Amino acid sequence: MSQNDITNILVCGIGGQGVMTATEILAEAAIAEGHDVKKTEVAGMAQRGGVVTSHLRFGRKVLSPQIEPGTVQVLLGFEGAEALRWSHYLKPDGLALVNNAKLVPPVVELGLFDYPEDPTGQMRAAGRRVVSFDAMSIARDLGEVRLGNTVMLGAIADYLPFSSEVLLACIVKRFARKGEQVVDANRRAFAAGREAVAKQLGAAPSENATA
Amino acid sequence: MAAVMPQLAPPPAASRLLLSGNEAVARAVWESGVRVAAAYPGTPATEIIESLARYPDLHAEWSVNEKVSMEVALGASMTGARAFCAMKHVGLNVASDCLMTMTITGAYGGLVIAVADDVGLSSSQNEQDSRYWGRFAHLPVLEPADSQEAYEMTKFAFGFSEQYETPVLLRLTTRICHVKGLVAVGAREAHEPPGFVKNPERWVMVPAHARTRIPNLYQRDETLRAVSEASPLNILEAGTDRTVGFVASGPAYMHVKEAFPNAPVLKLGFSYPWPPQKVRELAALCDKLVVVEETEQLLETEIKAAGIACHGKDVLPKMGELSPQVLGPAVDRLLGRPVPPPPPAAAPMKVFPRPPTLCASCPHMGIYYTLAQIKNIIVTGDIGCYTLGAGHPWNALDTTICMGATMGVALGIDKGRGEVDRNKRIIAVIGDSTFMHMGMQGLLNITYNKGNVTVLLLDNNTTGMTGGQATPASGKDIHGQDAPRVDLAKVVEALGVANERIKVVDPYELPILFKTIRDEIKVDAPSVIIARRPCVLIEDFKPFRPYLVEEDKCTGCGNCIEVGCPAIHVTRREKVIKPSGREVELAFVNIDNQACTGCGLCVQPCAPDAIQHVPRRDIPIHIVKT
Ligand SMILES: Cc1ncc(C[n+]2csc(CCOP(=O)(O)OP(=O)(O)O)c2C)c(N)n1
Ligand code: SF4
Ligand code: SF4
């Protein structure tokens, strides 16, 4: 297989959470670094609440856009049970970064299915490397829940095969139109996301860490 | 979308852009100097016209259905203008009547039809292989393998269409439409139409004229087969490991390259008519030949019929998406190579399903909550967000087939039923966009044939399922600009429904909705209940004050859960024994006030009045629209 120089990142969550936009920004960063990039979009069903995954592959030359189970370096989960659902996509030494939001669908509320007791705990028990954090309360502490997605991007920033600055620059570019204040808030959210993960992995965010 | 869409200056030539296949096709259509581009929305093709609408210098439109969109494109081509239409696979079924005769007239201005197959049924009622249409209609088929190729082949297709006077089918799949990759784009070339030329032998398809032109189709097949042999879109890669070679087209090519990087491959970009000589050359190069195609056994059968031995669907799945991980082991097995078992860690974990839900405040919830309470009815359904009424908690739809089928199926049930079904009432549910696409004819058929059907026309002022596209009843065009607004009640009346049998109700007003349905199903005549409330995706929807559940008042009856709103959550369950001795499970709830947009539907079945407005000061800022 010619997958060796390819980075596979799987972003998962629920319709309406911003999974696609986050992956889009990750893709822009990979392009800025000179990589060939393929990113799947799962559009269609307009309704909220369905499962959403976005596959991002980058490297010298990317062929198939689909990520195969067991080949993901970093899984960025926007919701606990969704991270669990896709955890078999991780490589044995892959890393899962999971926002511990719990979004319970109507089929569970109706008593037809159970929501897993402790999704990230279950992942750990299966031998996965998992870091979980609460992106929404981090964002709320910064004064704006909408910064949650930038917190998520901060969380993954030090586990990409390029400098976190590249990703930050792409975020800044997106928000530049909205003025200095918005940009600053996003910088803070990005830093907070990096810190939340670094705190748990016991390493200070280093500039050129690779996954 | 209801919002006015900005027409921005397109990114300049020579840029490298991250584009989905859909966006890449749109860019190429614009660069090719196309004047008319028409479509009816349908996943996964919707974004082609959506992005084209943002380009200047062309007419882009939402047509009322795919057949009309194709006819519009054909008309434009008759003037010598370059023209384009796009549709999902099932859309081409609708347009096929035009297609099968249009192939005889041929194209004048370059005419390209993009058809997107939803391989793997991410969002469709069936899975179809549109490559068959190339055979059926004697039309060339191009199959890109990624965004860059989608762009290049689209550009190629217009000139090709003009050179051979043939419409061209551009066959896409979900993995082309919705995958983004880098695309190097170019500049637009204007293309001034040479003008319509009166030519009845060509444009008036009566038997005498068609008869003289049909031999052209066979001639064209032969010509194009020779072109295909020499086409740079059909590339034979010799490879280094000759144990097995592959014929592949579309995304399947990428899977082959990923799983067997050193194998010989014939990549078919121009996949119909396919080049027999090149396939023979490939076969001579390798010990075994495998045809890798999505989804049906089409090329494989034709290659075998040409006397070339090959494998394909004997080892590969006949439906759904292929991938390197499906292909690799299947071919290894064919070659008698050992196939390592997948590592145990790669087994998926057990997690509840998460089907798509109706949105909080979706007006369809009121309809299905009500239908779920009416006994002795058969409810025929149709395609759209409202198809979800067949699921939990409502279980209130009994049939769904294809766009508009609700009407014909309802009439058929009415006329066909025997004594056992005699007392049942028949209700046909249809969305506004679906009604204008294909439902109007079915309603006319009900009135004409004196059917006894109550139609629920769900007028949410948009095409919700595909992301909120304007319709003739929303008073907006594809750009969000004002357009003449058709009056659905008048249409219904014109189709033969008696004026007093046409009711307009608010699906948020449960008691009135319930009573209206109950009254209308009792009448032995066709009636139409128009349920009118905007979809939450469009600008007309204004969120209301959210609600909360006063914990001390909630009795755990669970009535509100039956509304099916995703903003309602169970906080605690409790089993109690009723005085009658019956055990019931209580479910106490709360409302996520970040998600609730205050439609008030769940408030109505709550007997103890436990659901109350959130105090004004606690309203999250983001839901108050300005
Ligand atoms: C022939 C065909 N064309 C397009 C589609 C894609 N499609 C599915 S539902 C739908 C329309 C839904 O709109 P509407 O009837 O207004 O219902 P809503 O989703 O708004 O509830 C479309 C375009 C299809 N399934 N079949
Ligand atoms: S998109 Fe519109 S029609 Fe579809 S579920 Fe949401 S509110 Fe309902
Ligand atoms: S009022 Fe009730 S049904 Fe309506 S959106 Fe809020 S929680 Fe859902």
Side-chain angles (χ1 to χ4, degrees), chain A residues 22 35 43 54 66 69 74 85-86 90 96 109 115 120 122 124 127 129 144-145 157 160 180 191 193 201 203 207:
Chain A
H35 291 291
S54 200
Q66 278 133 291
V74 192
R85 187 191 307 283
W86 300 106
L90 280 163
E109 304 300 1
Y115 192 96
T120 46
Q122 229 172 300
R124 286 190 189 95
R129 265 170 84 211
E144 173 62 85
V145 272
L160 299 168
E180 205 39 46
L201 282 184
E207 271 322 311

Side-chain angles (χ1 to χ4, degrees), chain A residues 168-183:
Chain A
L168 180 59
C170 290
I171 298 171
V172 167
K173 203 169 130 201
R174 279 229 166 195
F175 291 102
R177 264 185 314 121
K178 302 199 171 163
E180 205 39 46
Q181 241 181 330
V182 176
V183 169

Side-chain angles (χ1 to χ4, degrees), chain B residues 439-569:
Chain B
M440 296 187 294
Q441 297 86 336
L443 178 58
L444 179 60
N445 191 61
I446 288 175
T447 57
Y448 176 55
N449 290 298
K450 304 188 192 108
N452 186 5
V453 175
T454 301
V455 175
L456 277 171
L457 174 48
L458 310 187
D459 179 10
N460 61 2
N461 215 0
T462 194
T463 319
M465 181 79 170
T466 43
Q469 293 76 20
T471 76
S474 51
K476 298 282 178 202
D477 68 8
I478 194 169
H479 306 290
Q481 309 284 2
D482 288 343
R485 180 181 215 140
V486 72
D487 183 331
L488 288 176
K490 281 193 185 149
V491 172
V492 164
E493 188 171 4
L495 292 172
V497 180
N499 182 278
E500 64 276 16
R501 295 271 70 80
I502 303 170
K503 308 282 151 141
V504 180
V505 296
D506 178 351
Y508 285 174
E509 296 283 348
L510 293 178
I512 298 172
L513 177 65
F514 183 80
K515 185 172 178 321
T516 311
I517 298 177
R518 280 301 292 268
D519 289 351
E520 289 308 316
I521 58 178
K522 282 186 197 141
V523 181
D524 284 334
S527 50
V528 175
I529 302 169
I530 301 175
R532 187 164 285 159
R533 264 286 171 185
C535 160
V536 309
L537 291 185
I538 62 173
E539 267 193 349
D540 303 19
F541 175 78
K542 302 275 181 269
F544 306 92
R545 252 167 91 186
Y547 285 89
L548 51 70
V549 177
E550 292 184 353
E551 235 176 273
D552 50 334
K553 282 200 206 155
C554 177
T555 57
C557 70
N559 284 350
C560 58
I561 303 173
E562 300 303 316
V563 170
C565 177
I568 301 177
H569 296 285

Side-chain angles (χ1 to χ4, degrees), chain A residues 1-3 6 13-15 23-24 27-28 31 34-52 55 57 61-71 79 81-82 84-90 92 102-116 119 122-123 126 128 140 144-146, chain B residues 16-18 20 23 43 47 122-123 145-147 174-175 177-182 251 253-255 257-259 261 294 321-326 328 345-359 384-386 388 392-393 464-468 536-537 561-562 564-566 568-571 573 585 587 592 594 622:
Chain A
M1 299 241 174
S2 64
Q3 295 190 344
I6 303 279
I14 288 154
T23 318
E24 184 94 11
E28 283 165 11
I31 291 169
H35 291 291
D36 184 28
V37 169
K38 283 203 174 135
K39 167 195 180 270
T40 57
E41 296 251 293
V42 208
M45 293 287 208
Q47 308 91 339
R48 275 42 169 170
V51 174
V52 173
H55 296 200
R57 309 192 73 203
K61 173 81 190 146
V62 184
L63 298 167
S64 170
Q66 278 133 291
I67 297 182
E68 303 289 346
T71 66
E79 203 264 358
E82 290 312 311
L84 179 63
R85 187 191 307 283
W86 300 106
S87 56
H88 63 293
Y89 271 68
L90 280 163
K102 177 179 176 183
L103 297 177
V104 182
V107 288
V108 170
E109 304 300 1
L110 290 162
L112 301 169
F113 295 94
D114 291 322
Y115 192 96
Q122 229 172 300
M123 287 168 71
R128 301 288 180 198
R140 212 170 292 124
E144 173 62 85
V145 272
R146 272 179 297 186
Chain B
R16 272 178 96 220
L17 310 171
L18 182 67
S20 68
E23 291 164 337
T43 312
E47 299 83 8
S122 73
S123 181
D146 63 13
S147 294
T174 310
R175 285 285 165 190
C177 296
H178 288 170
V179 170
K180 288 197 172 185
L182 286 168
Y253 166 76
M254 296 298 181
H255 305 328
K257 290 302 283 183
E258 184 121 9
E294 277 175 350
E321 285 196 297
L322 296 170
S323 71
Q325 255 190 9
V326 169
M349 307 294 270
K350 262 210 157 65
V351 180
F352 57 85
R354 197 189 283 275
T357 60
L358 294 175
C359 303
C385 287
Y386 56 97
L388 294 176
H392 298 300
M465 181 79 170
T466 43
V536 309
L537 291 185
I561 303 173
E562 300 303 316
C565 177
I568 301 177
H569 296 285
V570 175
T571 50
R573 294 182 200 273
E585 191 182 67
D592 172 0
Q594 296 276 335
H622 74 273

Side-chain angles (χ1 to χ4, degrees), chain B residues 40-42 66 88 90-91 94 125 364 383-386 403 431-434 437 460 462-466:
Chain B
Y40 177 73
E66 293 86 352
K88 70 182 292 176
V90 282
V94 174
Q125 67 268 34
H364 300 338
I383 312 223
C385 287
Y386 56 97
M403 298 275 290
D432 51 347
S433 183
T434 306
H437 174 282
N460 61 2
T462 194
T463 319
M465 181 79 170
T466 43

